[in-house]
Amino acid sequence: MKAGVIVFPGSNCDIDAYKVLEKLNVEVKYIWHDEKIDDEDLIVLPGGFSYGDYLRCGAIARFAKALENINEHIEKGKLVLGICNGFQILTELKALPGALLRNKNLNFICSDCNLIVENTDTPFTNLFKKGDIVNFPIAHGEGNYYIDDEGLGELIKNNQIVFRYQNNPNGSVADIAGIVNKRGNVLGMMPHPERAQDKLLGGEDGLVFFKSVIAYFKEV
Amino acid sequence: MNRYEKVGLTKEEYKRIVEGLNREPNDLELSMFGVLWSEHCSYKNSRALLKLFNTKGERVLQGPGENAGAVDIGDDLAVVFKIESHNHPSALEPYQGAATGVGGILRDIFTMGARPIANLNSIRFGHLNDERNKRLLKGVVNGIGNYGNSVGIPTVAGETVFDDCYSDNPLVNAMSVGIIRKDKLKRAIAQGVGNSVILVGHTTGRDGIGGASFASCNLTEESEAMRSAVQVGDPFMEKLLLEACLELMDKEYVVAVQDLGAAGLTSSSCEMALRGGCGIKIDVSKVVTREENMLPEEIMISESQERMLFVVKKGYEEEILKVFKKWNLNAAVIGEIIDDKNLTVTAGDKVVGCVPVELLGDGAKATLRSYRRPKYLDELHLDIDSLKRVEDLNDALIKVLKSENIASKEWVYRQYDYMVRTNTIVRPGGDAAVVAVEGTDKALSLTVDCNSRYCYLDPYEGAKIAVCEAARNIAATGATPIAITDCLNFANPEDEEVYYTFRQAILGITEASKVLNTPVVSGNVSFYNESNKTRIYPTPTIGMVGLLEDKNKACTIDFKELGDSVILVGE
Amino acid sequence: MIKAYIDVTLKKSILDPQGTAVKKGLEKLSLYTEDVRIGKHIEVLLKEDKIEAAREKIDEMCRRLLVNFEVETYSVRFEVIE
Amino acid sequence: MIKAYIDVTLKKSILDPQGTAVKKGLEKLSLYTEDVRIGKHIEVLLKEDKIEAAREKIDEMCRRLLVNFEVETYSVRFEVIE
Ligand SMILES: Nc1ncnc2c1ncn2[C@@H]1O[C@H](COP(=O)(O)OP(=O)(O)O)[C@@H](O)[C@H]1O
């Protein structure tokens, strides 16, 4: 399995994502925003403030050269993981439905965060059990997931909700913390599994998440 | 108003300039003297006393005088750190004031070649029953958070204090800590006649013009009208600048790097030349400006943010320009090192100003002011027995826990990304933060502390207590204190009583830092923190760094298990 | 040249916590309002000299970058600048 | 009732990083502009029914809370709502 972490100007969790993949012996490389993606099995859009997050989070990053072929990539069934800013970019790209608004309390929130695993039938969560509680930290100012009722109905019907907040920190519709596309190969989430990679730093639930991806590729 | 008064100089200072130049300075030259001889840049009221600090130690690689201090932590690594104030701008525009404060201190760290790994802050306001104070707090926290979060440096510790004395003068002190291989430490010493001077980063605009001299005046209604003094920060640009600079730092053709802070191009070029004992020539027409028709003097003293000055070996200019282009940043060769010891400013071929570097950079007289023990110190006395007995201890406890200064500061630090880059072992909420040093088993323990009420009651003892409190916080995480940086926030130094407290605080810090073997390696002075109504308490904020050899041994403050013993140690 | 003034606002159906916060902030100053909503104001200067052409260009900018139609709408005014 | 549309913008001489970023973003889409500046758009609904009274109130709101004159300026339009 090969992985690529896209580095936009302003990305700042690129290193953390790289670190966790490297730790799990995945062949991983950085992809600069104006290079093209290759045949990586997993593309990570990391957290941060791409292009300063000016205008709207992820709005400008969506046009980066590295994302030009992202749709073909997705169609081929390769995996795309958007964490935090990456999730925002994926909604701007329309690779995932909905939008991320400012946190309800209007403040940036950095803290530990318990999530309920809703869907274990994805390449990212196959090592969890449905209903598992995991702690992935959050750190965002605009993580308030919005989708209209119709869209929400679709998400539920297709089992696209992957993680929900145990205590909704930001006002997200239906406590949604992470969703996949219909096919299940694109995941966007506000919490940071890559930050939960070491007991010394507060937990390692994130390792299970990334090991799921590795397990998925062992299967196929 | 006289010409020299307009730029904040005294008659005596003007006389010295005329003598030094052997002629009257023109407007450009006068503006440069105005900003560089301001308190903020010249430290004219504090320099003589700062010499008293204990700055030596076996670990010290770089003491005060550079962009930041550096201390050896073994494994061929150095920790680079400094604290700096941004009080006056934050009073006017809390969000931008605090944000640009963080930007400035970060640049101080990466100009030394170090990668910033953590930020800290010490912030002080009037009480929160006042709406304005609330807005200031919100704006400052928002500004610090947004800037640090965007650049991707975790903000791991700090202090938040409320007292009436800060109502008109909130304090915003920002500290940054970086790591570097010790043989790669860069210094801002211009050298090598013929070498090129390159300005990189953001465009130059009229924002912040007069900022430095502004920071040295009392806050009056007038300063509220000095509109352009506020600068706007662009953390995105800073992040790019950081990455681009670090990419170039270990290149052998980079001779020196300096960030543009107060007094912009004037101070950075002059300081670099002064340290190198050479001259420097700047062509303002080469500077990439944001606005049309900027005057040479506006370009020379603009305080536009996110800019740096490089000196590179002749012939290597293209290498630099290429890297900055990759990061989508401006870079332009704007001058060269020359062998006469002047700062020469040209606009194209025309010389528009020429002053001796030494006069400009070192000519502001360091004054040892007279001081007098403040009267209030004799008037303070409290008869403990006169206090009313507390009847209901439960009620008292709740009152204490509810008070602004004791209550949890989670509302503040939760707005800071304190985990980004996954090295934060002990998070805010404890005594000191602990951050792992990558590639080693080591960790750094970091804190900022000052109890200014103690400093008010006894500036000497209070300053000692600040250093000791910091050391206890560090020790409580399991680390050994190794060095400090200080931010001396005081009122008007021309007042003999204020100057007394300033002097006492320095003596107190010196004493404590000797005993604890934590030399002062960097710091900052902020005077004139007063309004016509209030004057702040003497507030010598101490930033301290400790070293933990085994990061797995970091201690946290929470009780771990039922049945564990609780032991009170100390006097 | 033409200057376009674009106001981007959240759709009516979407809560605007920022507006609510400002409304409350105003009330603390005894300034009462029925409602406050907060959006973005974007001023774009264009070389075009015909409003028709400018409108087309601005609409394209809004469609492709400036507005996220999931949650926002916009309105524009134009001014001809000499 | 009266609806006030307030546009709060950065003063001319002050850097607008957001506007600069958006200008560059538009260029990537081959949409060229001379300048882009970004500010806040605030819509306030007031009980008042006279524009004069509304203007006074809005000016006070701007002075006391909505605008920081260190870095910003503002302009207002009014609309009478039935
Ligand atoms: N402005 C701030 N920024 C970051 N952390 C802060 C800030 N203010 C307080 N904290 C954190 O809150 C905790 C409590 O702070 P404080 O009350 O000053 O502790 P103590 O009195 O024990 O030194 C500390 O961990 C400190 O780092």
Side-chain angles (χ1 to χ4, degrees), chain B residues 322-354:
Chain B
K322 228 169 40 203
V323 170
F324 282 96
K325 188 151 183 220
K326 167 183 152 198
W327 289 96
N328 252 315
L329 293 162
N330 299 299
V333 179
I334 64 162
E336 62 176 328
I337 304 301
I338 47 179
D339 58 1
D340 68 15
K341 294 184 178 178
N342 293 328
L343 167 59
T344 304
V345 182
T346 66
D349 291 334
K350 190 166 159 246
V351 174
V352 291
C354 181

CSV table of all heavy atoms in Angstrom, one decimal, chain B residues 322-354:
chain,number,residue,atom,x,y,z
B,322,LYS,N,14.9,31.9,-6.0
B,322,LYS,CA,14.2,30.7,-6.4
B,322,LYS,C,13.3,30.0,-5.3
B,322,LYS,O,12.2,29.7,-5.5
B,322,LYS,CB,15.2,29.7,-6.9
B,322,LYS,CG,14.9,29.1,-8.2
B,322,LYS,CD,16.0,28.3,-8.9
B,322,LYS,CE,16.8,27.4,-8.0
B,322,LYS,NZ,18.1,27.1,-8.5
B,323,VAL,N,14.0,29.9,-4.1
B,323,VAL,CA,13.2,29.3,-3.0
B,323,VAL,C,12.0,30.1,-2.6
B,323,VAL,O,10.9,29.6,-2.4
B,323,VAL,CB,14.2,29.1,-1.8
B,323,VAL,CG1,13.4,28.7,-0.6
B,323,VAL,CG2,15.2,28.1,-2.1
B,324,PHE,N,12.2,31.4,-2.6
B,324,PHE,CA,11.0,32.2,-2.2
B,324,PHE,C,9.9,32.2,-3.3
B,324,PHE,O,8.7,32.3,-3.0
B,324,PHE,CB,11.4,33.7,-1.9
B,324,PHE,CG,12.1,33.8,-0.5
B,324,PHE,CD1,13.4,33.7,-0.3
B,324,PHE,CD2,11.2,33.8,0.6
B,324,PHE,CE1,14.0,33.7,0.9
B,324,PHE,CE2,11.8,33.8,1.9
B,324,PHE,CZ,13.2,33.8,2.0
B,325,LYS,N,10.3,32.1,-4.5
B,325,LYS,CA,9.3,32.0,-5.6
B,325,LYS,C,8.5,30.7,-5.4
B,325,LYS,O,7.3,30.7,-5.5
B,325,LYS,CB,10.1,32.0,-6.9
B,325,LYS,CG,9.1,32.0,-8.0
B,325,LYS,CD,9.7,32.7,-9.2
B,325,LYS,CE,8.6,32.8,-10.3
B,325,LYS,NZ,9.0,32.5,-11.6
B,326,LYS,N,9.2,29.6,-5.1
B,326,LYS,CA,8.5,28.3,-4.8
B,326,LYS,C,7.5,28.5,-3.8
B,326,LYS,O,6.4,27.9,-3.9
B,326,LYS,CB,9.6,27.3,-4.4
B,326,LYS,CG,8.9,26.0,-3.9
B,326,LYS,CD,9.9,25.0,-3.4
B,326,LYS,CE,9.3,24.1,-2.3
B,326,LYS,NZ,10.3,23.4,-1.5
B,327,TRP,N,7.8,29.3,-2.7
B,327,TRP,CA,6.8,29.4,-1.7
B,327,TRP,C,5.9,30.6,-1.9
B,327,TRP,O,5.1,31.1,-1.1
B,327,TRP,CB,7.5,29.6,-0.3
B,327,TRP,CG,8.2,28.4,0.1
B,327,TRP,CD1,9.5,28.0,0.0
B,327,TRP,CD2,7.5,27.3,0.8
B,327,TRP,NE1,9.7,26.8,0.5
B,327,TRP,CE2,8.5,26.3,1.1
B,327,TRP,CE3,6.2,27.1,1.3
B,327,TRP,CZ2,8.2,25.1,1.7
B,327,TRP,CZ3,5.9,25.9,2.0
B,327,TRP,CH2,6.9,24.9,2.2
B,328,ASN,N,5.9,31.1,-3.2
B,328,ASN,CA,5.0,32.2,-3.5
B,328,ASN,C,5.2,33.5,-2.7
B,328,ASN,O,4.2,34.1,-2.4
B,328,ASN,CB,3.6,31.7,-3.4
B,328,ASN,CG,2.9,31.5,-4.7
B,328,ASN,OD1,3.1,32.3,-5.6
B,328,ASN,ND2,2.2,30.4,-4.8
B,329,LEU,N,6.4,33.8,-2.4
B,329,LEU,CA,6.7,35.0,-1.6
B,329,LEU,C,7.5,35.9,-2.5
B,329,LEU,O,8.2,35.6,-3.4
B,329,LEU,CB,7.5,34.6,-0.4
B,329,LEU,CG,6.8,33.7,0.7
B,329,LEU,CD1,7.8,33.1,1.6
B,329,LEU,CD2,5.8,34.6,1.4
B,330,ASN,N,7.4,37.2,-2.1
B,330,ASN,CA,8.3,38.2,-2.7
B,330,ASN,C,9.7,38.1,-2.2
B,330,ASN,O,9.9,37.8,-1.1
B,330,ASN,CB,7.8,39.6,-2.4
B,330,ASN,CG,6.4,39.8,-2.9
B,330,ASN,OD1,6.1,39.8,-4.1
B,330,ASN,ND2,5.5,40.1,-2.0
B,331,ALA,N,10.6,38.4,-3.1
B,331,ALA,CA,12.0,38.6,-2.7
B,331,ALA,C,12.7,39.5,-3.7
B,331,ALA,O,12.5,39.3,-4.9
B,331,ALA,CB,12.7,37.2,-2.6
B,332,ALA,N,13.4,40.5,-3.2
B,332,ALA,CA,14.1,41.4,-4.1
B,332,ALA,C,15.4,41.8,-3.5
B,332,ALA,O,15.5,42.1,-2.3
B,332,ALA,CB,13.2,42.6,-4.3
B,333,VAL,N,16.4,41.8,-4.4
B,333,VAL,CA,17.7,42.4,-3.9
B,333,VAL,C,17.6,43.9,-3.8
B,333,VAL,O,17.2,44.5,-4.8
B,333,VAL,CB,18.8,42.0,-5.0
B,333,VAL,CG1,20.2,42.6,-4.5
B,333,VAL,CG2,18.9,40.5,-5.2
B,334,ILE,N,17.8,44.4,-2.6
B,334,ILE,CA,17.5,45.8,-2.4
B,334,ILE,C,18.8,46.6,-2.0
B,334,ILE,O,18.8,47.8,-1.8
B,334,ILE,CB,16.4,46.1,-1.4
B,334,ILE,CG1,16.9,45.6,0.0
B,334,ILE,CG2,15.1,45.5,-1.8
B,334,ILE,CD1,16.1,46.2,1.2
B,335,GLY,N,19.9,45.9,-1.9
B,335,GLY,CA,21.1,46.6,-1.5
B,335,GLY,C,22.3,45.7,-1.4
B,335,GLY,O,22.3,44.6,-1.7
B,336,GLU,N,23.4,46.3,-0.8
B,336,GLU,CA,24.6,45.5,-0.6
B,336,GLU,C,25.4,46.0,0.6
B,336,GLU,O,25.1,47.1,1.1
B,336,GLU,CB,25.5,45.6,-1.9
B,336,GLU,CG,25.9,47.0,-2.2
B,336,GLU,CD,26.9,47.1,-3.4
B,336,GLU,OE1,27.6,46.2,-3.6
B,336,GLU,OE2,26.8,48.1,-4.1
B,337,ILE,N,26.3,45.2,1.0
B,337,ILE,CA,27.2,45.6,2.1
B,337,ILE,C,28.3,46.4,1.6
B,337,ILE,O,28.9,46.1,0.5
B,337,ILE,CB,27.8,44.3,2.8
B,337,ILE,CG1,26.7,43.4,3.2
B,337,ILE,CG2,28.7,44.7,4.0
B,337,ILE,CD1,25.7,44.0,4.2
B,338,ILE,N,28.6,47.5,2.2
B,338,ILE,CA,29.7,48.4,1.7
B,338,ILE,C,30.7,48.6,2.8
B,338,ILE,O,30.5,48.3,4.0
B,338,ILE,CB,29.1,49.8,1.3
B,338,ILE,CG1,28.1,50.3,2.4
B,338,ILE,CG2,28.4,49.7,0.0
B,338,ILE,CD1,27.5,51.6,2.0
B,339,ASP,N,31.9,49.2,2.4
B,339,ASP,CA,32.9,49.2,3.4
B,339,ASP,C,33.0,50.5,4.2
B,339,ASP,O,33.7,50.6,5.3
B,339,ASP,CB,34.3,48.9,2.8
B,339,ASP,CG,34.7,49.8,1.7
B,339,ASP,OD1,33.9,50.7,1.4
B,339,ASP,OD2,35.7,49.6,1.1
B,340,ASP,N,32.3,51.6,3.8
B,340,ASP,CA,32.3,52.7,4.7
B,340,ASP,C,31.2,52.3,5.8
B,340,ASP,O,30.4,51.5,5.6
B,340,ASP,CB,32.0,54.0,4.0
B,340,ASP,CG,30.5,54.1,3.5
B,340,ASP,OD1,29.7,53.2,3.9
B,340,ASP,OD2,30.2,54.9,2.7
B,341,LYS,N,31.3,52.9,6.9
B,341,LYS,CA,30.4,52.5,8.0
B,341,LYS,C,29.1,53.3,8.1
B,341,LYS,O,28.7,53.7,9.1
B,341,LYS,CB,31.1,52.5,9.3
B,341,LYS,CG,32.3,51.5,9.3
B,341,LYS,CD,33.0,51.4,10.7
B,341,LYS,CE,34.0,50.3,10.6
B,341,LYS,NZ,34.8,50.2,11.8
B,342,ASN,N,28.5,53.5,6.9
B,342,ASN,CA,27.3,54.3,6.8
B,342,ASN,C,26.1,53.4,6.4
B,342,ASN,O,26.3,52.4,5.7
B,342,ASN,CB,27.4,55.4,5.8
B,342,ASN,CG,28.4,56.4,6.3
B,342,ASN,OD1,28.6,56.6,7.5
B,342,ASN,ND2,29.1,57.0,5.3
B,343,LEU,N,24.9,53.9,6.8
B,343,LEU,CA,23.7,53.3,6.2
B,343,LEU,C,23.3,54.4,5.2
B,343,LEU,O,23.0,55.5,5.5
B,343,LEU,CB,22.6,53.2,7.3
B,343,LEU,CG,21.2,53.0,6.7
B,343,LEU,CD1,21.1,51.8,5.9
B,343,LEU,CD2,20.1,53.0,7.9
B,344,THR,N,23.4,53.9,3.9
B,344,THR,CA,23.2,54.8,2.8
B,344,THR,C,21.8,54.4,2.2
B,344,THR,O,21.7,53.3,1.8
B,344,THR,CB,24.3,54.8,1.7
B,344,THR,OG1,25.5,55.1,2.4
B,344,THR,CG2,24.0,55.8,0.6
B,345,VAL,N,20.9,55.4,2.0
B,345,VAL,CA,19.7,55.1,1.4
B,345,VAL,C,19.6,55.8,0.0
B,345,VAL,O,19.9,57.0,0.0
B,345,VAL,CB,18.5,55.6,2.3
B,345,VAL,CG1,17.2,55.2,1.6
B,345,VAL,CG2,18.6,55.0,3.7
B,346,THR,N,19.3,55.0,-1.0
B,346,THR,CA,19.2,55.6,-2.3
B,346,THR,C,17.8,55.4,-2.9
B,346,THR,O,17.1,54.4,-2.4
B,346,THR,CB,20.2,55.1,-3.3
B,346,THR,OG1,19.9,53.7,-3.6
B,346,THR,CG2,21.6,55.2,-2.8
B,347,ALA,N,17.4,56.2,-3.8
B,347,ALA,CA,16.2,56.0,-4.6
B,347,ALA,C,16.6,55.9,-6.0
B,347,ALA,O,16.9,56.9,-6.6
B,347,ALA,CB,15.2,57.1,-4.3
B,348,GLY,N,16.8,54.7,-6.5
B,348,GLY,CA,17.5,54.5,-7.8
B,348,GLY,C,19.0,55.0,-7.6
B,348,GLY,O,19.6,54.5,-6.6
B,349,ASP,N,19.5,55.9,-8.4
B,349,ASP,CA,20.9,56.3,-8.3
B,349,ASP,C,21.1,57.4,-7.3
B,349,ASP,O,22.2,57.8,-6.9
B,349,ASP,CB,21.4,56.8,-9.6
B,349,ASP,CG,21.5,55.6,-10.6
B,349,ASP,OD1,21.7,54.5,-10.1
B,349,ASP,OD2,21.4,55.8,-11.8
B,350,LYS,N,19.9,58.0,-6.9
B,350,LYS,CA,20.0,59.2,-6.1
B,350,LYS,C,20.2,58.9,-4.6
B,350,LYS,O,19.4,58.1,-4.1
B,350,LYS,CB,18.8,60.1,-6.3
B,350,LYS,CG,18.8,61.4,-5.8
B,350,LYS,CD,17.7,62.3,-6.3
B,350,LYS,CE,17.5,63.5,-5.4
B,350,LYS,NZ,16.2,63.4,-4.7
B,351,VAL,N,21.2,59.5,-4.0
B,351,VAL,CA,21.3,59.2,-2.5
B,351,VAL,C,20.3,60.1,-1.8
B,351,VAL,O,20.3,61.3,-2.0
B,351,VAL,CB,22.8,59.6,-2.1
B,351,VAL,CG1,22.9,59.5,-0.5
B,351,VAL,CG2,23.8,58.6,-2.7
B,352,VAL,N,19.5,59.5,-1.0
B,352,VAL,CA,18.5,60.3,-0.3
B,352,VAL,C,18.8,60.4,1.2
B,352,VAL,O,18.1,61.2,1.9
B,352,VAL,CB,17.0,59.8,-0.5
B,352,VAL,CG1,16.6,60.1,-2.0
B,352,VAL,CG2,16.9,58.4,-0.2
B,353,GLY,N,19.7,59.7,1.7
B,353,GLY,CA,20.1,59.7,3.1
B,353,GLY,C,21.3,59.0,3.3
B,353,GLY,O,21.6,58.0,2.7
B,354,CYS,N,22.1,59.4,4.3
B,354,CYS,CA,23.4,58.7,4.6
B,354,CYS,C,23.8,59.1,6.0
B,354,CYS,O,24.1,60.2,6.3
B,354,CYS,CB,24.5,59.1,3.6
B,354,CYS,SG,26.0,58.3,3.9
